[in-house]
């Protein structure tokens, strides 16, 4: 199992360019229109060169995020979990 660690939480308009393709891919998978002021969490998946994107407005609680990451064979680390709980 991989460990997911928070890289940062960004507004879509402030998103670093290197994360753009990951965000666009996730939005297309969810058939989602991204709002300019949307908060987006970027998680690094340890042992890979991949990132996991979370559109924070799409989640009610941390359990939903944990379930999504479990499907991706990843587990959220403790500090990331606490930070995300504060943003939900």
């Amino acid at each position: 199992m991989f460990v997911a660690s928070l890289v940062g939480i960004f507004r879509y308009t402030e998103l670093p360019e290197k994360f753009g393709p990951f965000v666009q891919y996730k939005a297309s998978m969810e058939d989602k229109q991204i709002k300019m002021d949307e908060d987006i969490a970027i998680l690094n998946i340890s042992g890979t060169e991949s990132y996991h994107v979370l559109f924070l407005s799409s989640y009610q609680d941390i359990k939903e995020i944990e379930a999504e990451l479990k499907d991706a064979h990843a587990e959220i680390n403790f500090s990331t979990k606490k930070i995300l709980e504060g943003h939900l």
Side-chain angles (χ1 to χ4, degrees):
M1 179 141 321
F2 298 103
V3 176
S5 302
L6 184 66
V7 173
I9 297 175
F10 307 96
R11 295 282 166 125
Y12 181 66
T13 56
E14 300 166 347
L15 188 71
E17 189 176 321
K18 72 178 188 175
F19 300 125
F22 295 99
V23 171
Q24 292 299 327
Y25 177 76
K26 176 81 181 260
S28 70
M29 294 298 293
E30 294 182 358
D31 197 27
K32 177 175 182 54
Q33 281 290 84
I34 305 170
K35 298 176 188 149
M36 291 296 140
D37 64 343
E38 183 142 18
D39 286 331
I40 302 168
I42 306 293
L43 305 178
N44 175 261
I45 307 300
S46 67
T48 73
E49 294 182 19
S50 185
Y51 297 95
H52 193 87
V53 175
L54 302 171
F55 296 107
L56 294 180
S57 63
S58 299
Y59 304 94
Q60 297 297 317
D61 58 37
I62 197 72
K63 291 187 185 307
E64 292 178 356
I65 293 173
E66 289 175 321
E68 180 176 317
L69 288 169
K70 185 176 181 182
D71 289 344
H73 305 288
E75 183 176 88
I76 196 168
N77 72 23
F78 181 78
S79 59
T80 298
K81 179 178 178 178
K82 291 299 175 191
I83 293 167
L84 290 176
E85 283 175 334
H87 282 275
L88 294 178

